[in-house]
Amino acid sequence: MAKDTPYQVLVRDLPTHRKLEVPPERVGEWLKGMPMRDALGAPEVDPQAGHGVADLDLYADGAHVFASGTFRGELTVACSRCVNPVMLKIDEKLRVTFMPRHELPDDDAQDGTDDVEDDEDAEVSEEDLDVFPFDGERVDLEPLLREQFVLAVPYAPLCAETCKGLCPQCGIDRNTASCTCEPPIDPRLAALKGLKIPS
Ligand SMILES: [Zn+2]
Ligand SMILES: [Zn+2]
């Protein structure tokens, strides 16, 4: 928690309204290592990475902090067929509770390992979405904002439903060019050709 970011709000400042901007360099940094981002081969600081704005009302109730509002933005990822950039729009309503870590239902608590650092790679379930831990003094909104970008990426992003993808042999973009490569014969199909179907 020592890291200082513009996305932290002190509990003693609540209730408050915050408009938080996420610039492209932040988006690039947060999504580093995501295959659909890395596939673009974009530079380290990518002005086209995307951006976002969170408009949040924050208030405290006892030991809990609530945030509600909206998140709007854009994110550029690679098309899963042709690797060209695809711009995804983000327009989400946010309603989140921040709870002291010890109050969080922790189903990994039994294994005794410290899994705090693993959270970033953990699969996010629907229930986890609405609750984030905080230390009781300051709320860190960065994980919440970062998650909006991560969740915006579909399993297989497409530049268009009709994207023809890349030729598997020569790698040409079949949306903009054509080649004369013959499709390889699937060895399983080749084997089937020799089969006689009993009548
Ligand atoms: Zn495509
Ligand atoms: Zn080809």
Side-chain angles (χ1 to χ4, degrees), residues 67-111:
S68 72
T70 58
F71 184 83
R72 294 201 177 87
E74 287 171 4
L75 170 64
T76 307
V77 296
C79 171
S80 58
R81 287 186 200 153
C82 71
V83 208
N84 282 315
V86 183
M87 209 212 24
L88 305 168
K89 289 262 182 202
I90 309 170
D91 188 355
E92 292 292 329
K93 280 200 165 56
L94 301 183
R95 191 169 279 276
V96 192
T97 306
F98 291 86
M99 289 177 129
R101 199 174 286 280
H102 64 86
E103 276 189 42
L104 282 176
D106 185 3
D107 37 26
D108 303 319
Q110 302 92 320
D111 64 15

Coordinates of all heavy atoms in Angstrom, one line a residue, residues 67-111:
A67 N -18.8 2.6 -3.2 CA -18.5 3.4 -4.4 C -19.6 3.1 -5.4 O -19.8 2.0 -5.7 CB -17.1 3.2 -4.9
S68 N -20.1 4.2 -5.9 CA -21.1 3.9 -7.0 C -21.0 5.0 -8.1 O -20.6 6.1 -7.8 CB -22.5 3.8 -6.5 OG -23.0 5.1 -6.1
G69 N -21.2 4.6 -9.3 CA -21.1 5.6 -10.4 C -20.9 4.9 -11.7 O -21.4 3.8 -11.9
T70 N -20.1 5.5 -12.6 CA -20.0 4.9 -13.9 C -18.5 4.8 -14.3 O -17.6 5.5 -13.7 CB -20.7 5.8 -15.0 OG1 -20.1 7.1 -14.9 CG2 -22.1 5.9 -14.7
F71 N -18.2 4.0 -15.2 CA -16.9 3.9 -15.8 C -17.1 3.8 -17.4 O -17.8 3.0 -17.9 CB -16.1 2.7 -15.4 CG -14.7 2.7 -15.9 CD1 -13.7 3.4 -15.3 CD2 -14.4 1.9 -17.1 CE1 -12.4 3.4 -15.8 CE2 -13.1 2.0 -17.6 CZ -12.1 2.7 -16.9
R72 N -16.5 4.8 -18.0 CA -16.6 4.8 -19.5 C -15.2 4.9 -20.1 O -14.3 5.5 -19.5 CB -17.3 6.0 -20.0 CG -18.8 6.0 -19.6 CD -19.7 6.8 -20.4 NE -21.1 6.7 -20.0 CZ -21.6 7.4 -19.0 NH1 -20.9 8.3 -18.4 NH2 -22.9 7.2 -18.7
G73 N -15.0 4.2 -21.2 CA -13.6 4.2 -21.7 C -13.5 3.4 -23.0 O -14.5 3.0 -23.6
E74 N -12.3 3.3 -23.4 CA -12.0 2.5 -24.6 C -10.7 1.7 -24.4 O -9.9 2.1 -23.6 CB -11.7 3.4 -25.8 CG -13.0 4.1 -26.3 CD -12.6 5.2 -27.3 OE1 -11.4 5.4 -27.7 OE2 -13.5 5.9 -27.8
L75 N -10.6 0.6 -25.1 CA -9.5 -0.2 -25.0 C -9.2 -0.9 -26.3 O -10.1 -1.3 -27.0 CB -9.8 -1.3 -23.9 CG -8.7 -2.5 -23.8 CD1 -7.4 -1.9 -23.4 CD2 -9.2 -3.5 -22.9
T76 N -7.9 -0.8 -26.7 CA -7.5 -1.5 -28.0 C -6.8 -2.8 -27.8 O -5.9 -2.9 -27.0 CB -6.6 -0.5 -28.8 OG1 -7.2 0.7 -28.9 CG2 -6.4 -1.1 -30.2
V77 N -7.4 -3.8 -28.4 CA -6.8 -5.2 -28.3 C -6.6 -5.7 -29.7 O -7.1 -5.1 -30.7 CB -7.6 -6.1 -27.5 CG1 -7.7 -5.7 -26.0 CG2 -9.0 -6.3 -28.1
A78 N -6.0 -6.9 -29.9 CA -5.8 -7.5 -31.2 C -7.0 -8.3 -31.5 O -7.5 -9.0 -30.7 CB -4.5 -8.3 -31.2
C79 N -7.4 -8.3 -32.8 CA -8.4 -9.2 -33.3 C -7.8 -10.6 -33.2 O -6.7 -10.9 -33.5 CB -8.7 -8.9 -34.8 SG -9.8 -10.1 -35.6
S80 N -8.7 -11.6 -32.7 CA -8.2 -12.9 -32.5 C -7.9 -13.7 -33.8 O -7.4 -14.7 -33.8 CB -9.1 -13.7 -31.6 OG -10.4 -13.7 -32.1
R81 N -8.4 -13.1 -34.9 CA -8.2 -13.8 -36.2 C -7.1 -13.2 -37.0 O -6.3 -13.8 -37.6 CB -9.5 -13.9 -37.0 CG -10.5 -14.9 -36.4 CD -11.7 -15.0 -37.4 NE -12.8 -15.5 -36.7 CZ -14.1 -15.3 -37.0 NH1 -14.4 -14.5 -38.0 NH2 -15.1 -15.8 -36.3
C82 N -7.2 -11.8 -37.1 CA -6.2 -11.2 -38.0 C -5.2 -10.3 -37.3 O -4.3 -9.7 -38.0 CB -7.0 -10.3 -39.1 SG -7.7 -8.8 -38.4
V83 N -5.3 -10.2 -36.0 CA -4.3 -9.4 -35.2 C -4.3 -7.9 -35.4 O -3.5 -7.2 -34.9 CB -2.9 -10.0 -35.3 CG1 -2.1 -9.7 -34.0 CG2 -2.8 -11.4 -35.6
N84 N -5.3 -7.4 -36.2 CA -5.4 -6.0 -36.4 C -6.1 -5.4 -35.1 O -6.7 -6.1 -34.4 CB -6.3 -5.7 -37.6 CG -5.5 -5.8 -38.9 OD1 -4.4 -5.3 -39.0 ND2 -6.1 -6.5 -39.9
P85 N -5.9 -4.1 -34.9 CA -6.4 -3.5 -33.7 C -7.9 -3.5 -33.7 O -8.6 -3.2 -34.7 CB -5.9 -2.1 -33.7 CG -4.9 -2.0 -34.8 CD -5.1 -3.1 -35.7
V86 N -8.5 -3.8 -32.5 CA -10.0 -3.7 -32.3 C -10.2 -2.8 -31.1 O -9.6 -2.9 -30.1 CB -10.6 -5.1 -31.9 CG1 -12.1 -5.0 -31.8 CG2 -10.2 -6.1 -32.9
M87 N -11.0 -1.7 -31.3 CA -11.3 -0.9 -30.2 C -12.6 -1.3 -29.5 O -13.6 -1.4 -30.1 CB -11.5 0.6 -30.7 CG -11.1 1.5 -29.6 SD -11.9 3.1 -29.6 CE -13.4 2.9 -30.3
L88 N -12.5 -1.6 -28.2 CA -13.6 -2.0 -27.4 C -14.1 -0.8 -26.6 O -13.3 -0.1 -26.0 CB -13.2 -3.1 -26.5 CG -12.5 -4.3 -27.1 CD1 -11.9 -5.2 -26.0 CD2 -13.5 -5.1 -27.9
K89 N -15.4 -0.6 -26.6 CA -16.0 0.4 -25.8 C -16.4 -0.1 -24.4 O -16.9 -1.2 -24.3 CB -17.3 0.9 -26.5 CG -17.1 1.7 -27.8 CD -17.1 3.2 -27.5 CE -16.9 4.0 -28.8 NZ -16.4 5.3 -28.5
I90 N -16.1 0.7 -23.4 CA -16.5 0.3 -22.1 C -17.5 1.3 -21.5 O -17.3 2.5 -21.6 CB -15.3 0.3 -21.1 CG1 -14.2 -0.6 -21.8 CG2 -15.7 -0.3 -19.8 CD1 -12.9 -0.5 -21.0
D91 N -18.6 0.8 -21.1 CA -19.6 1.7 -20.5 C -20.3 0.9 -19.4 O -21.2 0.1 -19.6 CB -20.6 2.2 -21.6 CG -21.6 3.2 -21.0 OD1 -21.6 3.5 -19.8 OD2 -22.4 3.7 -21.8
E92 N -19.8 1.1 -18.2 CA -20.3 0.2 -17.1 C -20.8 1.0 -15.9 O -20.3 2.1 -15.6 CB -19.1 -0.6 -16.5 CG -18.6 -1.7 -17.5 CD -19.6 -2.8 -17.7 OE1 -20.4 -3.1 -16.8 OE2 -19.6 -3.4 -18.8
K93 N -21.8 0.5 -15.2 CA -22.2 1.1 -14.0 C -21.5 0.3 -12.9 O -21.3 -0.9 -12.9 CB -23.7 0.8 -13.8 CG -24.6 1.8 -14.5 CD -26.0 1.7 -13.9 CE -26.8 2.9 -14.3 NZ -26.9 3.0 -15.8
L94 N -21.0 1.1 -11.9 CA -20.2 0.5 -10.9 C -20.9 0.6 -9.5 O -21.5 1.7 -9.2 CB -18.8 1.1 -10.7 CG -17.9 1.1 -11.9 CD1 -16.5 1.7 -11.6 CD2 -17.7 -0.3 -12.4
R95 N -20.9 -0.4 -8.8 CA -21.4 -0.4 -7.4 C -20.6 -1.4 -6.6 O -20.7 -2.6 -6.8 CB -22.9 -0.9 -7.5 CG -23.7 -0.7 -6.2 CD -25.1 -0.9 -6.5 NE -25.8 0.3 -7.1 CZ -26.2 1.3 -6.3 NH1 -26.1 1.3 -5.0 NH2 -26.8 2.3 -6.9
V96 N -19.7 -0.9 -5.8 CA -18.7 -1.7 -5.1 C -18.7 -1.4 -3.7 O -18.9 -0.3 -3.2 CB -17.3 -1.3 -5.7 CG1 -16.3 -2.4 -5.3 CG2 -17.4 -1.3 -7.3
T97 N -18.3 -2.5 -2.9 CA -18.1 -2.3 -1.5 C -16.7 -2.6 -1.2 O -16.1 -3.6 -1.7 CB -19.0 -3.4 -0.7 OG1 -20.4 -3.2 -1.1 CG2 -18.9 -3.1 0.8
F98 N -16.1 -1.8 -0.3 CA -14.7 -2.0 0.1 C -14.8 -2.5 1.6 O -15.5 -1.8 2.4 CB -13.8 -0.8 0.0 CG -13.6 -0.4 -1.4 CD1 -14.4 0.4 -2.1 CD2 -12.4 -0.9 -2.0 CE1 -14.2 0.7 -3.4 CE2 -12.1 -0.6 -3.3 CZ -13.0 0.2 -4.1
M99 N -14.2 -3.7 1.9 CA -14.3 -4.2 3.2 C -12.9 -4.4 3.8 O -12.0 -4.7 3.0 CB -15.0 -5.6 3.2 CG -16.5 -5.6 2.9 SD -17.0 -7.3 2.8 CE -18.4 -7.2 3.8
P100 N -12.8 -4.3 5.1 CA -11.5 -4.6 5.7 C -11.2 -6.1 5.3 O -12.1 -6.9 5.3 CB -11.7 -4.5 7.2 CG -12.9 -3.5 7.3 CD -13.7 -3.8 6.1
R101 N -9.9 -6.3 5.0 CA -9.5 -7.6 4.5 C -10.0 -8.8 5.4 O -10.4 -9.8 4.9 CB -8.0 -7.7 4.3 CG -7.5 -8.7 3.4 CD -6.0 -8.6 3.2 NE -5.6 -7.5 2.3 CZ -5.7 -7.5 1.0 NH1 -6.1 -8.6 0.4 NH2 -5.4 -6.5 0.3
H102 N -9.9 -8.6 6.7 CA -10.3 -9.7 7.6 C -11.7 -10.1 7.5 O -12.2 -11.1 8.0 CB -9.8 -9.4 9.0 CG -10.5 -8.2 9.6 ND1 -11.7 -8.3 10.3 CD2 -10.1 -6.9 9.7 CE1 -12.1 -7.1 10.7 NE2 -11.1 -6.3 10.4
E103 N -12.6 -9.1 7.0 CA -14.0 -9.4 6.9 C -14.4 -10.1 5.6 O -15.5 -10.6 5.4 CB -14.8 -8.1 6.9 CG -15.0 -7.6 8.3 CD -16.0 -6.4 8.3 OE1 -17.0 -6.5 7.5 OE2 -15.8 -5.5 9.0
L104 N -13.4 -10.1 4.7 CA -13.7 -10.7 3.4 C -13.9 -12.2 3.5 O -13.1 -12.9 4.2 CB -12.6 -10.4 2.4 CG -12.6 -9.0 1.8 CD1 -11.3 -8.9 0.9 CD2 -13.8 -8.8 1.0
P105 N -14.9 -12.8 2.9 CA -15.0 -14.2 2.8 C -13.8 -14.7 2.0 O -13.6 -14.3 0.9 CB -16.4 -14.5 2.1 CG -16.7 -13.2 1.4 CD -15.9 -12.1 2.1
D106 N -13.0 -15.6 2.6 CA -11.8 -16.0 1.9 C -11.8 -17.5 1.9 O -11.5 -18.2 2.8 CB -10.6 -15.5 2.7 CG -9.3 -15.9 2.0 OD1 -9.4 -16.4 0.8 OD2 -8.2 -15.6 2.5
D107 N -12.1 -18.1 0.7 CA -12.2 -19.5 0.6 C -10.9 -20.2 0.5 O -10.7 -21.4 0.5 CB -13.2 -20.0 -0.5 CG -13.1 -19.1 -1.7 OD1 -12.0 -18.5 -1.9 OD2 -14.1 -19.0 -2.5
D108 N -9.8 -19.4 0.3 CA -8.5 -19.9 0.2 C -7.8 -19.9 1.6 O -6.6 -20.3 1.7 CB -7.6 -19.2 -0.8 CG -8.2 -19.1 -2.1 OD1 -8.8 -20.2 -2.5 OD2 -8.2 -18.1 -2.8
A109 N -8.5 -19.4 2.6 CA -7.9 -19.2 3.9 C -7.3 -20.5 4.5 O -6.3 -20.4 5.2 CB -8.9 -18.6 4.9
Q110 N -7.9 -21.6 4.2 CA -7.5 -22.9 4.8 C -6.1 -23.3 4.4 O -5.4 -23.9 5.2 CB -8.5 -24.0 4.5 CG -9.9 -23.8 4.9 CD -10.7 -23.1 3.7 OE1 -10.1 -22.3 3.0 NE2 -11.9 -23.6 3.6
D111 N -5.7 -23.0 3.2 CA -4.4 -23.6 2.7 C -3.2 -22.8 3.3 O -2.1 -23.3 3.1 CB -4.3 -23.6 1.2 CG -4.3 -22.2 0.5 OD1 -4.1 -21.2 1.3 OD2 -4.5 -22.2 -0.7

